[in-house]
Amino acid sequence: MPDDLIAPASEIFDLPGLRAKLFDSFPEGAKESEIRKITVATLAEARDTGRKVIAEALAAEPFGARRTTRSYTWLTDGMVRLTFEVATTVLHRLNAPTEGERLSVIAVGGYGRGEMAPFSDVDLLFLTPYKITAWAESVIESMLYILWDLKMKVGHSSRTVKDCIRLGGEDMTIRTAMLEHRFLIGDVALAQELDERLLKELFTGTEREFVEAKLSERDARHEKQGQRYMVEPNVKEGKGGLRDLQSLYWIAKYVHHTDDTAELVKLGVFHPEEYETFVQAERFLWGARCHLHLAAGRPVEQLSFDMQVEVAERMGYTDKGGRRAVEWFMQDFFRHATSVGDLTRIFLTSLEADHKKAAPLLERIFKRKPRVKAGYEVIHNRLAIADNEAFLTDKLNLLRLFEEGLRTGLLLHPDAMRLVTNNLHLIDKEMRENKDAQKQFLDLMLKHGNPERALRRMNELGVLSAFMPEFAPIVAMMQFNMYHHYTVDEHTIQVIKNLAMIERGEVGEELPVSTEIIETGINRRVIYVALLLHDIGKGRDEDHSVLGAKIARKVAPRLGLNKKECETVEWLVRYHLLMSDMAQKRDIADPRTVRDFAKAVQTVERLDLLCVLTVCDIRGVGPDTWNNWKAALIRALYRQTRRALEGGMEALNRENRGTEAKKLLRERLSDWSQSELRRETGRHYPPYWQGLHVTAHTIFAELLRDIEVDEIKIDIHPDEDRDATRVCFAIADHPGIFSRLTGALALVGANVVDARSFTTKDGYATAAFWIQDSDGAPYETARIPRLKDMIRKTLMGEVVAREAIKSKDKIKKRERAFKVPTSITFDNEGSDIFTIIEVDTRDRPGLLFDLARTMANANVYIVSAVIATYGEQVVDTFYVKDMFGLKFYSDSKQKSLEKKLREAITEGVRQANS
């Protein structure tokens, strides 16, 4: 029995003992169905015991992954072997088998390699010498029925040796499976014949073909799975996952004819420390996969958010240093995934040197190599170092290499990358303080137009963290939420890529303001360094903007910036969220918002820099985070603030804005009579004229024109500029009207992103809501009539929103792992006439309705609501007055309302999780 399992082999599956027990339990002359039944019952009990033993041993030793995979293999082998013995000696016994009645059972694929996760497939090859006989067919059929009854997921094929060679020649998947075959039971000579003939007739001489097929398979897989730093990675198929390690294993076996990856060190492919990295990555990834299967109770390969929490706990991670256990676990995951990428590169280089891998296609088409500077050469169309010793005599070459890569457009040769990685110790304090090194580093970002390419490679090779040690903690750091799609280091690189795209003029139509700012000219040194450092304070107990500013104060001078530039960078890092927060969490129609923001920013230069930084930052969060809605908010805040900074704060005066708005409306309603116009412009209070665009003023004028007292008028139209659908209501005013409108919208599954509510002097409520569907898009025109009908029914009382909403107000299972603490603040300074209540909490479909209903019951009058969503977190900001039209100044009133809001949130979350 094997002695390298996670628990003693006899406790997992006692093969001799179970064989004796099984065969002793068959009654004399029993029918086939009875024998099968006894076999299944005996083996099922042994399987359950074995699984329990393995799971308990793994829980006690969470990183004992390799021995665990061998343990599941041993358990499976035992069941397959005993099934074969029952089928051949009891069910279909042959006293004098002919030459053709030989059968060999072979494990193939991952099972053949002896690597099994708890719920891996069992791939079997039934090998016969010639065409399958009736006896062999009966044996195979009986075996499969027993294995299926044991709930095994069996993949099987019946072939001759000749079939295996022919099919392996035609199909690369079959060839790979055959590469990993392992004899289990049956005719030994037949299995040996397969071994010998596969090597001689199929594997030898086809190495290049196999390597190229495996590499193109890998590229296709990466294309499908997305980047290495996707926050819900696939442990098996993802970039840097187990399949990449297996590809290395397959190629090593095919090319070097070795089962033992340690042989690759003796062959000079890997250095011993690189091989150790291989072992650690394999151990970690297999551990994660085994725990993932056991946690899910089925073969799951994707580390979804809910599973990440559970697997982290099973692997012994704990909360520390202001970060959750799951974040530490995922940081390790991404670091191992990166090292798998490094190992793959090293291995491929050794193949290129041996000509097992063809030169890249482009090189074969275009023979002319780009001209490189002295000290470099081009090998296989990659930038290589001509003389390693000479290269290392000047430390700065460790940075110049990346500049040469950008200048020539060549990718770095893996040997050059390896040289850099092995000599990171040369990047020391002296080099970091060297003026030429600082210039070299800044030039990488400023000179060549695609800095992200160099930065990403420098990050993967450890150069970025060596040159800027403060960057090291955020490498591969995952933020456990649904808002950020990338790790912090990858997000930083994405953000810099966004700036380079604006500079290249590629997004002028999409980002007119940022493009104009860049074209007019800003300090590029400041903006690039600010972007590089904006999130450098993440992952600690302290506010990352405050800590980041402290770090920037130390790092910016070291990157060669002058005193004034350093101060600007520090300010930008400290306030890098200010513009985003003001635009998304405050009512920018309120003049006070713009005035406060202008005071904080102080100069047009800072406004320009902050605007560009904000746009690049939001766009770097994930593929779909930036949209027209956010663009419209940022644009409006930028333009109004710029006007205030250039023309003085008087430009923000409420009365000026009101007069202008009325003038625009008169122009729009030129066919109305003077008396109608006087009535319309006189029926609204001042906030109405500042809070809405003339388009909405025109719609409300039409809705109110001849409205009856008990009438509900609704206008629904797409607002293309803002990626949302605008819903305007005109209805007789009464307490709680805002809450009823939010209930009606929640019921139709609409996400409210912005809302304004006003009262006319003659007793009507006018409310404008901007909504999106569940995908964050405007409603399609075809869906609008149904939307209108459902809203009307709710407002007429035909549907009770509070009851009807319960079935819709649910939090998905995979999203329940997120913890969002609730914070409620009252601000009496941010607006001249309203109290601003900001509720920061866990998002869910019925939240806005719950909050609005609670406020209505407490006699709070909501004038506007601004909703900013960040994945599973939402910030709902309400501009409110009390029933007498006053602000909420009293502490006791604030505490009482906060208590009611918290109770509503807690109860809502309880129901949504039920």
Side-chain angles (χ1 to χ4, degrees), residues 363 366-372 377-381 410:
E363 183 186 332
F366 305 108
K367 285 289 182 221
R368 212 178 106 247
K369 295 177 180 178
R371 294 179 64 172
V372 292
E377 59 183 334
V378 180
I379 299 175
H380 284 316
N381 206 34
L410 288 170

Side-chain angles (χ1 to χ4, degrees), residues 22 67 191-192 320 338 381 579 661 826 878 884:
L22 180 61
R67 284 172 299 131
Q192 278 173 343
K320 62 175 192 279
T338 304
N381 206 34
M579 189 168 197
F826 290 78
F878 300 93
F884 306 110

Side-chain angles (χ1 to χ4, degrees), residues 104 106 127 183 187-197:
S104 191
I106 313 276
L127 192 64
F183 173 70
D187 192 282
V188 180
L190 193 54
Q192 278 173 343
E193 185 193 339
L194 178 70
D195 263 2
E196 287 157 13
R197 288 186 60 189

